[in-house]
Coordinates of all heavy atoms in Angstrom, one line a residue:
M139 N -51.8 -74.7 14.1 CA -52.6 -74.5 15.3 C -54.1 -74.6 14.9 O -54.5 -73.9 14.0 CB -52.4 -73.2 16.0 CG -53.2 -72.9 17.2 SD -52.8 -71.4 18.1 CE -51.3 -71.8 18.9
D140 N -54.8 -75.5 15.5 CA -56.2 -75.7 15.1 C -57.1 -74.6 15.8 O -56.7 -73.9 16.7 CB -56.7 -77.1 15.3 CG -56.8 -77.5 16.8 OD1 -56.8 -76.6 17.7 OD2 -56.9 -78.7 17.1
L141 N -58.3 -74.6 15.3 CA -59.3 -73.6 15.7 C -59.6 -73.7 17.2 O -59.8 -72.7 17.9 CB -60.5 -73.6 14.8 CG -61.6 -72.6 15.1 CD1 -61.0 -71.2 14.9 CD2 -62.8 -72.8 14.2
E142 N -59.8 -74.9 17.7 CA -60.1 -75.2 19.1 C -59.0 -74.6 20.0 O -59.3 -74.0 21.0 CB -60.3 -76.7 19.3 CG -61.7 -77.2 18.8 CD -61.9 -78.6 19.2 OE1 -61.4 -79.1 20.3 OE2 -62.5 -79.3 18.3
K143 N -57.8 -74.9 19.6 CA -56.7 -74.3 20.4 C -56.7 -72.8 20.4 O -56.4 -72.2 21.4 CB -55.3 -74.9 19.9 CG -55.0 -76.3 20.3 CD -53.7 -76.7 19.9 CE -53.4 -78.1 20.3 NZ -52.0 -78.6 19.9
M144 N -56.9 -72.2 19.3 CA -56.9 -70.8 19.2 C -58.1 -70.2 20.0 O -57.9 -69.2 20.7 CB -57.1 -70.3 17.7 CG -55.8 -70.5 16.9 SD -55.9 -70.1 15.2 CE -56.2 -68.3 15.3
M145 N -59.2 -70.8 20.0 CA -60.4 -70.4 20.8 C -60.1 -70.5 22.3 O -60.4 -69.6 23.1 CB -61.7 -71.1 20.4 CG -62.2 -70.8 19.0 SD -62.6 -69.1 18.8 CE -64.0 -69.0 19.9
A146 N -59.5 -71.6 22.7 CA -59.1 -71.8 24.1 C -58.1 -70.7 24.5 O -58.2 -70.2 25.6 CB -58.6 -73.2 24.3
M147 N -57.1 -70.5 23.6 CA -56.1 -69.4 23.9 C -56.8 -68.1 24.1 O -56.5 -67.3 25.0 CB -55.0 -69.4 22.9 CG -53.9 -68.5 23.3 SD -52.4 -68.5 22.2 CE -53.0 -69.0 20.6
A148 N -57.7 -67.8 23.2 CA -58.4 -66.5 23.2 C -59.2 -66.3 24.5 O -59.2 -65.3 25.1 CB -59.3 -66.3 22.0
Q149 N -59.9 -67.4 24.9 CA -60.6 -67.3 26.2 C -59.7 -67.2 27.4 O -60.0 -66.4 28.3 CB -61.5 -68.6 26.3 CG -62.6 -68.6 25.4 CD -63.4 -70.0 25.4 OE1 -62.9 -71.0 25.9 NE2 -64.6 -69.9 24.9
N150 N -58.5 -67.8 27.3 CA -57.6 -67.7 28.4 C -57.0 -66.3 28.5 O -56.9 -65.7 29.6 CB -56.4 -68.7 28.2 CG -55.5 -68.7 29.4 OD1 -55.8 -68.5 30.5 ND2 -54.2 -68.9 29.1
V151 N -56.7 -65.7 27.3 CA -56.2 -64.3 27.3 C -57.3 -63.4 27.8 O -57.0 -62.5 28.6 CB -55.8 -63.9 25.8 CG1 -55.6 -62.4 25.7 CG2 -54.6 -64.7 25.4
Q152 N -58.5 -63.6 27.5 CA -59.6 -62.7 27.9 C -59.8 -62.8 29.4 O -59.9 -61.8 30.1 CB -60.9 -63.1 27.2 CG -62.1 -62.2 27.7 CD -61.9 -60.7 27.3 OE1 -61.4 -60.4 26.2 NE2 -62.2 -59.8 28.2
A153 N -59.7 -64.0 30.0 CA -59.8 -64.2 31.4 C -58.7 -63.6 32.2 O -58.9 -62.9 33.2 CB -59.9 -65.7 31.8
E154 N -57.5 -63.7 31.6 CA -56.3 -63.1 32.3 C -56.3 -61.6 32.2 O -56.0 -60.9 33.1 CB -55.0 -63.6 31.6 CG -54.7 -65.1 32.0 CD -54.5 -65.3 33.4 OE1 -53.8 -64.5 34.1 OE2 -55.0 -66.3 34.0
L155 N -56.8 -61.1 31.1 CA -56.9 -59.6 30.9 C -57.9 -59.0 31.9 O -57.7 -58.0 32.5 CB -57.3 -59.3 29.5 CG -57.4 -57.8 29.1 CD1 -56.0 -57.2 29.3 CD2 -57.8 -57.7 27.6
T156 N -59.1 -59.7 32.1 CA -60.1 -59.3 33.0 C -59.5 -59.3 34.4 O -59.7 -58.3 35.2 CB -61.3 -60.2 32.9 OG1 -61.8 -60.1 31.6 CG2 -62.4 -59.8 33.9
K157 N -58.8 -60.3 34.8 CA -58.2 -60.4 36.1 C -57.1 -59.3 36.3 O -57.1 -58.7 37.3 CB -57.5 -61.8 36.2 CG -56.9 -62.1 37.6 CD -56.4 -63.5 37.6 CE -55.1 -63.6 38.2 NZ -54.5 -65.0 38.1
A158 N -56.3 -59.1 35.3 CA -55.3 -58.0 35.4 C -55.9 -56.6 35.5 O -55.4 -55.8 36.3 CB -54.4 -58.1 34.1
Q159 N -57.0 -56.4 34.8 CA -57.7 -55.1 34.9 C -58.2 -54.9 36.3 O -58.1 -53.8 36.9 CB -58.8 -55.0 33.9 CG -58.4 -54.9 32.5 CD -57.7 -53.5 32.2 OE1 -58.1 -52.5 32.7 NE2 -56.7 -53.5 31.4
A160 N -58.7 -55.9 36.9 CA -59.2 -55.8 38.3 C -58.0 -55.5 39.3 O -58.1 -54.7 40.2 CB -59.9 -57.0 38.7
T161 N -56.9 -56.2 39.0 CA -55.7 -56.0 39.9 C -55.2 -54.6 39.7 O -54.7 -54.0 40.7 CB -54.6 -57.0 39.4 OG1 -55.1 -58.3 39.6 CG2 -53.3 -56.8 40.3
L162 N -55.2 -54.0 38.6 CA -54.7 -52.6 38.3 C -55.4 -51.6 39.3 O -54.8 -50.7 39.7 CB -54.9 -52.2 36.9 CG -54.0 -52.9 35.9 CD1 -54.3 -52.4 34.5 CD2 -52.6 -52.7 36.2
D163 N -56.7 -51.8 39.6 CA -57.4 -50.9 40.4 C -57.0 -51.0 41.9 O -57.4 -50.2 42.7 CB -58.9 -51.0 40.2 CG -59.6 -49.7 40.5 OD1 -59.1 -48.6 40.1 OD2 -60.7 -49.7 41.1
T164 N -56.3 -52.1 42.2 CA -55.8 -52.2 43.6 C -54.4 -51.8 43.8 O -53.9 -51.6 45.0 CB -55.9 -53.7 44.0 OG1 -55.0 -54.5 43.3 CG2 -57.3 -54.3 43.9
I165 N -53.7 -51.5 42.7 CA -52.3 -51.0 42.8 C -52.4 -49.5 42.9 O -53.0 -48.8 42.1 CB -51.5 -51.4 41.6 CG1 -51.4 -52.9 41.5 CG2 -50.1 -50.8 41.6 CD1 -50.8 -53.4 40.2
E166 N -51.7 -48.9 44.0 CA -51.8 -47.5 44.2 C -50.4 -46.9 43.9 O -49.4 -47.4 44.2 CB -52.1 -47.2 45.7 CG -52.4 -45.8 46.0 CD -53.0 -45.5 47.4 OE1 -53.9 -46.2 47.8 OE2 -52.5 -44.6 48.0
V167 N -50.5 -45.7 43.2 CA -49.3 -44.9 42.9 C -49.5 -43.5 43.4 O -50.6 -43.1 43.7 CB -49.0 -44.9 41.4 CG1 -48.7 -46.2 40.8 CG2 -50.2 -44.2 40.6
E168 N -48.4 -42.8 43.6 CA -48.5 -41.4 44.1 C -47.7 -40.5 43.2 O -46.5 -40.7 42.9 CB -48.0 -41.3 45.5 CG -48.1 -39.9 46.1 CD -47.6 -39.9 47.5 OE1 -46.4 -40.0 47.8 OE2 -48.5 -39.7 48.4
G169 N -48.4 -39.5 42.7 CA -47.8 -38.4 41.9 C -47.5 -37.3 42.8 O -48.3 -36.9 43.7
V170 N -46.3 -36.7 42.7 CA -45.8 -35.6 43.6 C -45.3 -34.5 42.7 O -44.7 -34.7 41.7 CB -44.7 -36.2 44.5 CG1 -44.1 -35.1 45.4 CG2 -45.1 -37.4 45.3
S171 N -45.5 -33.3 43.2 CA -44.9 -32.1 42.6 C -44.6 -31.1 43.7 O -45.0 -31.2 44.8 CB -45.8 -31.5 41.6 OG -47.0 -30.9 42.1
G172 N -43.8 -30.1 43.3 CA -43.4 -29.0 44.3 C -42.6 -29.5 45.4 O -42.8 -29.0 46.6
G173 N -41.8 -30.5 45.2 CA -41.0 -31.1 46.3 C -41.9 -31.7 47.4 O -41.5 -31.7 48.6
G174 N -43.0 -32.2 47.0 CA -43.9 -32.9 48.0 C -45.0 -32.0 48.5 O -45.8 -32.4 49.4
L175 N -45.1 -30.7 48.0 CA -46.2 -29.9 48.5 C -47.6 -30.3 48.0 O -48.6 -30.1 48.6 CB -46.0 -28.4 48.0 CG -44.7 -27.7 48.6 CD1 -44.5 -26.4 48.0 CD2 -44.9 -27.6 50.1
V176 N -47.6 -31.0 46.8 CA -48.8 -31.6 46.3 C -48.6 -33.0 46.0 O -47.6 -33.4 45.4 CB -49.2 -30.8 45.0 CG1 -50.5 -31.5 44.3 CG2 -49.5 -29.4 45.3
R177 N -49.5 -33.9 46.5 CA -49.5 -35.3 46.3 C -50.8 -35.8 45.8 O -51.8 -35.4 46.4 CB -49.1 -36.0 47.6 CG -47.7 -35.7 48.1 CD -47.4 -36.3 49.4 NE -46.1 -36.0 49.9 CZ -45.0 -36.6 49.5 NH1 -45.0 -37.5 48.7 NH2 -43.8 -36.2 50.0
I178 N -50.8 -36.6 44.7 CA -52.0 -37.2 44.2 C -51.9 -38.7 44.2 O -50.9 -39.2 43.7 CB -52.2 -36.8 42.7 CG1 -52.2 -35.2 42.5 CG2 -53.5 -37.4 42.1 CD1 -53.4 -34.5 43.1
R179 N -52.9 -39.4 44.9 CA -52.9 -40.8 44.9 C -53.9 -41.3 43.8 O -55.0 -40.8 43.8 CB -53.3 -41.3 46.3 CG -52.2 -41.1 47.3 CD -52.6 -41.6 48.7 NE -54.0 -41.6 49.1 CZ -54.6 -40.5 49.5 NH1 -54.1 -39.4 49.6 NH2 -55.9 -40.6 49.9
A180 N -53.4 -42.3 43.1 CA -54.3 -42.9 42.0 C -54.0 -44.4 42.0 O -53.0 -44.9 42.4 CB -53.9 -42.2 40.7
S181 N -55.0 -45.1 41.4 CA -54.8 -46.5 41.1 C -54.1 -46.6 39.8 O -54.0 -45.7 39.0 CB -56.2 -47.2 41.0 OG -56.8 -46.9 39.8
A182 N -53.4 -47.8 39.6 CA -52.7 -48.0 38.3 C -53.7 -48.0 37.1 O -53.3 -47.8 36.0 CB -52.0 -49.3 38.4
K183 N -55.0 -48.1 37.4 CA -56.0 -48.0 36.3 C -56.3 -46.6 36.0 O -57.0 -46.3 35.0 CB -57.2 -48.8 36.8 CG -58.1 -49.2 35.7 CD -59.2 -50.2 36.2 CE -60.1 -50.6 35.0 NZ -61.1 -51.5 35.5
G184 N -55.8 -45.7 36.8 CA -56.0 -44.2 36.6 C -57.1 -43.6 37.4 O -57.4 -42.4 37.3
R185 N -57.7 -44.3 38.3 CA -58.7 -43.7 39.2 C -58.0 -42.9 40.3 O -57.1 -43.4 41.0 CB -59.6 -44.9 39.8 CG -60.7 -44.4 40.7 CD -61.5 -45.6 41.2 NE -60.7 -46.6 41.9 CZ -60.4 -46.6 43.2 NH1 -60.9 -45.6 44.0 NH2 -59.7 -47.5 43.8
I186 N -58.5 -41.6 40.4 CA -57.9 -40.8 41.5 C -58.5 -41.2 42.8 O -59.7 -41.2 43.0 CB -58.2 -39.3 41.2 CG1 -57.6 -38.9 39.8 CG2 -57.7 -38.4 42.3 CD1 -56.1 -39.1 39.7
I187 N -57.6 -41.4 43.8 CA -58.0 -41.9 45.1 C -58.1 -40.7 46.1 O -59.0 -40.6 46.9 CB -57.1 -43.0 45.6 CG1 -57.1 -44.2 44.7 CG2 -57.4 -43.4 47.0 CD1 -56.0 -45.2 44.9
G188 N -57.2 -39.8 46.0 CA -57.1 -38.7 46.9 C -56.0 -37.8 46.6 O -55.2 -38.0 45.7
M189 N -55.9 -36.7 47.3 CA -54.8 -35.7 47.1 C -54.5 -35.0 48.5 O -55.4 -35.0 49.4 CB -55.2 -34.7 46.1 CG -56.3 -33.7 46.4 SD -56.5 -32.5 45.1 CE -57.3 -33.5 43.9
D190 N -53.3 -34.5 48.6 CA -52.9 -33.8 49.7 C -52.2 -32.5 49.2 O -51.3 -32.6 48.4 CB -51.9 -34.6 50.6 CG -51.5 -33.9 51.8 OD1 -52.4 -33.4 52.6 OD2 -50.3 -33.8 52.0
I191 N -52.7 -31.4 49.7 CA -52.1 -30.1 49.4 C -51.6 -29.4 50.6 O -52.3 -29.3 51.6 CB -53.2 -29.1 48.7 CG1 -53.8 -29.8 47.5 CG2 -52.6 -27.8 48.4 CD1 -55.0 -29.1 46.9
D192 N -50.3 -29.0 50.6 CA -49.7 -28.4 51.8 C -50.4 -27.1 52.0 O -50.8 -26.3 51.1 CB -48.2 -28.1 51.5 CG -47.5 -27.6 52.7 OD1 -47.4 -26.4 52.9 OD2 -47.0 -28.5 53.4
D193 N -50.7 -26.8 53.3 CA -51.4 -25.6 53.7 C -50.7 -24.3 53.2 O -51.4 -23.3 52.9 CB -51.5 -25.5 55.3 CG -52.4 -26.5 55.8 OD1 -53.2 -27.1 55.1 OD2 -52.3 -26.8 57.1
S194 N -49.4 -24.3 53.0 CA -48.7 -23.1 52.5 C -49.2 -22.7 51.1 O -49.0 -21.5 50.7 CB -47.2 -23.3 52.5 OG -46.9 -24.3 51.5
L195 N -49.8 -23.6 50.4 CA -50.3 -23.3 49.0 C -51.7 -22.8 49.0 O -52.2 -22.4 48.0 CB -50.2 -24.5 48.1 CG -48.8 -25.0 47.9 CD1 -48.8 -26.3 47.1 CD2 -48.0 -24.0 47.1
L196 N -52.4 -22.7 50.2 CA -53.8 -22.3 50.2 C -53.9 -20.8 50.5 O -54.6 -20.4 51.4 CB -54.5 -23.1 51.3 CG -54.5 -24.6 51.1 CD1 -55.3 -25.3 52.2 CD2 -55.2 -25.0 49.8
N197 N -53.3 -20.1 49.6 CA -53.2 -18.6 49.7 C -53.7 -18.1 48.3 O -53.1 -18.6 47.3 CB -51.8 -18.2 50.0 CG -51.6 -16.7 49.9 OD1 -52.4 -16.0 49.4 ND2 -50.5 -16.3 50.5
P198 N -54.7 -17.3 48.2 CA -55.2 -16.8 46.9 C -54.1 -16.3 46.0 O -54.2 -16.4 44.8 CB -56.2 -15.7 47.3 CG -56.7 -16.1 48.7 CD -55.5 -16.7 49.4
A199 N -53.1 -15.7 46.6 CA -52.0 -15.2 45.8 C -51.2 -16.3 45.1 O -50.5 -16.1 44.1 CB -51.0 -14.3 46.6
E200 N -51.3 -17.5 45.6 CA -50.6 -18.7 45.1 C -51.4 -19.5 44.2 O -51.0 -20.6 43.8 CB -50.0 -19.5 46.2 CG -49.1 -18.8 47.2 CD -47.8 -18.3 46.5 OE1 -47.4 -18.9 45.5 OE2 -47.3 -17.3 47.0
K201 N -52.6 -19.0 43.8 CA -53.5 -19.8 43.0 C -52.9 -20.4 41.7 O -53.0 -21.5 41.4 CB -54.7 -18.9 42.6 CG -55.8 -19.7 41.8 CD -57.0 -18.8 41.5 CE -58.1 -19.4 40.8 NZ -57.9 -19.8 39.4
G202 N -52.2 -19.5 40.9 CA -51.6 -20.0 39.7 C -50.5 -21.1 39.9 O -50.5 -22.1 39.2
M203 N -49.7 -20.9 41.0 CA -48.7 -21.9 41.3 C -49.4 -23.2 41.7 O -49.0 -24.3 41.3 CB -47.8 -21.5 42.4 CG -46.7 -22.5 42.7 SD -45.4 -22.2 43.9 CE -46.0 -20.9 44.9
L204 N -50.4 -23.1 42.5 CA -51.2 -24.3 43.0 C -51.7 -25.1 41.8 O -51.6 -26.3 41.7 CB -52.3 -24.0 44.0 CG -53.1 -25.1 44.4 CD1 -52.3 -26.2 45.1 CD2 -54.2 -24.6 45.4
E205 N -52.3 -24.3 40.8 CA -52.9 -25.0 39.6 C -51.8 -25.7 38.9 O -52.0 -26.9 38.4 CB -53.6 -24.0 38.8 CG -54.9 -23.4 39.4 CD -55.4 -22.2 38.7 OE1 -54.7 -21.6 37.9 OE2 -56.6 -21.9 39.0
D206 N -50.6 -25.1 38.7 CA -49.5 -25.7 38.0 C -49.0 -27.0 38.7 O -48.7 -28.0 38.1 CB -48.3 -24.7 37.8 CG -48.7 -23.6 36.8 OD1 -49.6 -23.7 36.1 OD2 -47.9 -22.6 36.9
L207 N -48.9 -26.9 40.1 CA -48.5 -28.0 40.8 C -49.5 -29.2 40.8 O -49.1 -30.3 40.8 CB -48.2 -27.6 42.3 CG -47.0 -26.7 42.5 CD1 -46.9 -26.2 43.9 CD2 -45.7 -27.4 42.1
L208 N -50.8 -28.8 40.8 CA -51.8 -29.9 40.7 C -51.7 -30.6 39.4 O -51.7 -31.8 39.3 CB -53.2 -29.3 40.9 CG -53.6 -29.0 42.3 CD1 -54.9 -28.2 42.4 CD2 -53.8 -30.3 43.1
A209 N -51.5 -29.8 38.3 CA -51.4 -30.4 37.0 C -50.2 -31.3 36.9 O -50.2 -32.4 36.4 CB -51.3 -29.4 35.9
A210 N -49.0 -30.9 37.5 CA -47.8 -31.6 37.5 C -48.0 -32.9 38.3 O -47.5 -34.0 37.9 CB -46.6 -30.8 38.0
A211 N -48.6 -32.8 39.4 CA -48.8 -34.0 40.3 C -49.8 -35.0 39.6 O -49.5 -36.2 39.6 CB -49.4 -33.6 41.7
F212 N -50.8 -34.5 38.9 CA -51.7 -35.4 38.2 C -51.0 -36.1 37.1 O -51.1 -37.3 36.9 CB -52.9 -34.7 37.6 CG -54.1 -34.5 38.6 CD1 -54.4 -33.2 39.0 CD2 -54.8 -35.6 39.0 CE1 -55.4 -33.1 39.9 CE2 -55.9 -35.4 39.9 CZ -56.2 -34.2 40.4
N213 N -50.1 -35.4 36.3 CA -49.4 -36.0 35.3 C -48.4 -37.0 35.8 O -48.1 -38.0 35.2 CB -48.7 -34.9 34.4 CG -49.6 -34.1 33.6 OD1 -50.7 -34.6 33.2 ND2 -49.3 -32.8 33.3
D214 N -47.7 -36.7 36.9 CA -46.8 -37.6 37.5 C -47.5 -38.9 38.0 O -47.1 -40.0 37.7 CB -46.1 -37.0 38.8 CG -45.0 -37.8 39.3 OD1 -44.2 -38.4 38.6 OD2 -44.9 -37.8 40.6
A215 N -48.7 -38.8 38.6 CA -49.5 -39.9 39.0 C -49.9 -40.7 37.7 O -49.8 -42.0 37.7 CB -50.7 -39.5 39.8
R216 N -50.3 -40.1 36.7 CA -50.7 -40.8 35.4 C -49.5 -41.5 34.8 O -49.7 -42.7 34.4 CB -51.2 -39.7 34.4 CG -51.7 -40.3 33.1 CD -53.0 -41.0 33.2 NE -52.8 -42.4 33.0 CZ -53.7 -43.3 33.3 NH1 -54.9 -43.0 33.8 NH2 -53.5 -44.6 33.1
A217 N -48.4 -40.9 34.8 CA -47.2 -41.6 34.3 C -46.9 -42.8 35.1 O -46.5 -43.9 34.6 CB -46.0 -40.7 34.2
K218 N -46.9 -42.7 36.4 CA -46.7 -43.9 37.3 C -47.7 -44.9 37.2 O -47.5 -46.1 37.2 CB -46.5 -43.4 38.8 CG -45.3 -42.6 39.0 CD -45.2 -42.0 40.4 CE -43.9 -41.2 40.6 NZ -43.9 -40.5 41.9
A219 N -49.0 -44.5 37.0 CA -50.1 -45.5 36.8 C -49.9 -46.2 35.5 O -50.0 -47.4 35.4 CB -51.4 -44.8 36.8
D220 N -49.4 -45.5 34.4 CA -49.2 -46.2 33.2 C -48.0 -47.2 33.3 O -48.1 -48.3 32.8 CB -48.8 -45.1 32.1 CG -50.0 -44.3 31.6 OD1 -51.2 -44.7 31.9 OD2 -49.8 -43.3 31.0
A221 N -47.0 -46.8 34.0 CA -45.8 -47.7 34.2 C -46.3 -48.9 35.0 O -45.9 -50.1 34.7 CB -44.7 -47.0 34.9
A222 N -47.1 -48.7 36.1 CA -47.5 -49.9 36.8 C -48.4 -50.8 36.0 O -48.4 -52.0 36.1 CB -48.3 -49.4 38.1
S223 N -49.3 -50.2 35.2 CA -50.1 -50.9 34.3 C -49.3 -51.8 33.3 O -49.6 -53.0 33.1 CB -51.1 -50.0 33.6 OG -51.9 -50.7 32.6
Q224 N -48.3 -51.2 32.7 CA -47.5 -51.9 31.7 C -46.8 -53.1 32.4 O -46.7 -54.1 31.9 CB -46.5 -51.0 31.1 CG -47.1 -50.0 30.1 CD -47.8 -50.7 28.9 OE1 -47.3 -51.7 28.4 NE2 -48.9 -50.2 28.5
A225 N -46.3 -52.8 33.6 CA -45.6 -53.9 34.4 C -46.5 -55.0 34.7 O -46.2 -56.2 34.5 CB -45.0 -53.3 35.6
E226 N -47.7 -54.7 35.1 CA -48.7 -55.7 35.5 C -49.1 -56.5 34.2 O -49.2 -57.7 34.3 CB -49.9 -55.1 36.2 CG -50.8 -56.1 36.8 CD -50.2 -56.8 38.0 OE1 -49.3 -56.3 38.7 OE2 -50.6 -58.0 38.3
M227 N -49.4 -55.8 33.2 CA -49.7 -56.5 31.9 C -48.6 -57.3 31.4 O -48.8 -58.4 30.8 CB -50.2 -55.5 30.9 CG -51.5 -54.8 31.2 SD -52.8 -56.1 31.3 CE -54.2 -55.0 31.8
G228 N -47.4 -56.8 31.6 CA -46.2 -57.6 31.1 C -46.1 -58.9 31.9 O -45.8 -60.0 31.3
K229 N -46.4 -58.9 33.2 CA -46.4 -60.1 34.0 C -47.5 -61.1 33.4 O -47.2 -62.3 33.3 CB -46.8 -59.8 35.4 CG -45.7 -59.2 36.2 CD -46.2 -59.1 37.7 CE -45.8 -57.8 38.3 NZ -46.4 -57.7 39.6
M230 N -48.6 -60.6 33.0 CA -49.7 -61.4 32.5 C -49.3 -62.0 31.2 O -49.5 -63.2 31.0 CB -51.0 -60.6 32.3 CG -52.1 -61.5 31.8 SD -53.5 -60.6 31.0 CE -52.7 -60.1 29.5
T231 N -48.8 -61.3 30.3 CA -48.5 -61.8 29.0 C -47.2 -62.7 28.9 O -47.1 -63.5 28.0 CB -48.3 -60.7 27.9 OG1 -47.3 -59.8 28.3 CG2 -49.6 -59.9 27.8
S232 N -46.4 -62.6 29.9 CA -45.2 -63.4 29.9 C -45.5 -64.9 30.0 O -44.7 -65.7 29.6 CB -44.2 -63.0 31.1 OG -44.7 -63.3 32.3
G233 N -46.6 -65.2 30.7 CA -47.0 -66.6 30.8 C -47.8 -67.2 29.7 O -48.1 -68.4 29.6
L234 N -48.2 -66.3 28.7 CA -49.0 -66.8 27.6 C -48.2 -67.1 26.4 O -47.2 -66.4 26.1 CB -50.0 -65.6 27.2 CG -51.0 -65.2 28.3 CD1 -51.8 -64.0 27.8 CD2 -51.9 -66.3 28.7
S235 N -48.6 -68.1 25.7 CA -47.9 -68.5 24.5 C -48.7 -67.9 23.3 O -49.6 -68.5 22.8 CB -47.8 -70.0 24.4 OG -49.1 -70.6 24.4
L236 N -48.4 -66.6 23.0 CA -49.1 -65.9 22.0 C -48.3 -66.1 20.6 O -47.1 -66.2 20.6 CB -49.2 -64.4 22.3 CG -49.9 -64.1 23.6 CD1 -49.8 -62.6 23.8 CD2 -51.4 -64.5 23.5
P237 N -49.1 -66.2 19.5 CA -48.4 -66.3 18.2 C -47.6 -65.1 18.0 O -47.9 -64.0 18.5 CB -49.6 -66.4 17.3 CG -50.8 -66.6 18.0 CD -50.5 -66.2 19.4
P238 N -46.5 -65.2 17.2 CA -45.6 -64.1 16.9 C -46.5 -63.0 16.2 O -47.3 -63.2 15.4 CB -44.6 -64.6 15.9 CG -44.6 -66.1 16.1 CD -46.0 -66.5 16.6
G239 N -46.2 -61.7 16.7 CA -46.9 -60.6 16.1 C -48.3 -60.3 16.7 O -48.9 -59.3 16.4
F240 N -48.8 -61.2 17.6 CA -50.1 -61.0 18.2 C -50.0 -59.9 19.3 O -49.1 -59.9 20.1 CB -50.5 -62.3 18.9 CG -51.9 -62.3 19.5 CD1 -53.0 -62.5 18.7 CD2 -52.1 -62.0 20.8 CE1 -54.3 -62.4 19.2 CE2 -53.4 -61.9 21.4 CZ -54.5 -62.1 20.5
K241 N -50.9 -58.9 19.1 CA -50.9 -57.8 20.0 C -52.2 -57.7 20.8 O -53.2 -57.9 20.3 CB -50.7 -56.5 19.3 CG -49.4 -56.4 18.6 CD -49.0 -54.9 18.2 CE -47.8 -54.9 17.4 NZ -46.6 -55.0 18.0
L242 N -52.0 -57.5 22.1 CA -53.2 -57.3 23.0 C -53.6 -55.9 23.0 O -52.8 -55.0 22.8 CB -52.9 -57.8 24.4 CG -52.6 -59.3 24.5 CD1 -52.2 -59.6 26.0 CD2 -53.9 -60.1 24.2
P243 N -54.9 -55.6 23.3 CA -55.4 -54.2 23.2 C -55.1 -53.4 24.4 O -56.0 -53.0 25.1 CB -56.9 -54.4 23.0 CG -57.2 -55.7 23.7 CD -56.0 -56.6 23.5
F244 N -53.8 -53.1 24.7 CA -53.5 -52.2 25.8 C -52.2 -51.6 25.5 O -51.4 -51.9 24.7 CB -53.5 -52.9 27.2 CG -52.6 -54.1 27.3 CD1 -51.3 -54.0 27.5 CD2 -53.2 -55.4 27.2 CE1 -50.5 -55.1 27.6 CE2 -52.4 -56.5 27.3 CZ -51.1 -56.4 27.5

């Protein structure tokens, strides 16, 4: 493979990676905990879009449980965002002819 082809491939990979990163911020996932009492919406890029907390949890006596449920919902959203990101990046790299052993930074 000559240098010109490698440079063209690198530029193509960079352009596709930039496009995929922009797409990730448009994919929405939802993390849930407490059987749906806490819901966190995030982009596949990891940006938190919003949250919904059931009114039953807005009791000072339930503060510890609410904190645990929020952490669980954030972690669930993060895991789903990571999965969506990997799936989207997998789509991008499936069309590229990368040399064996070539790894992209994600």
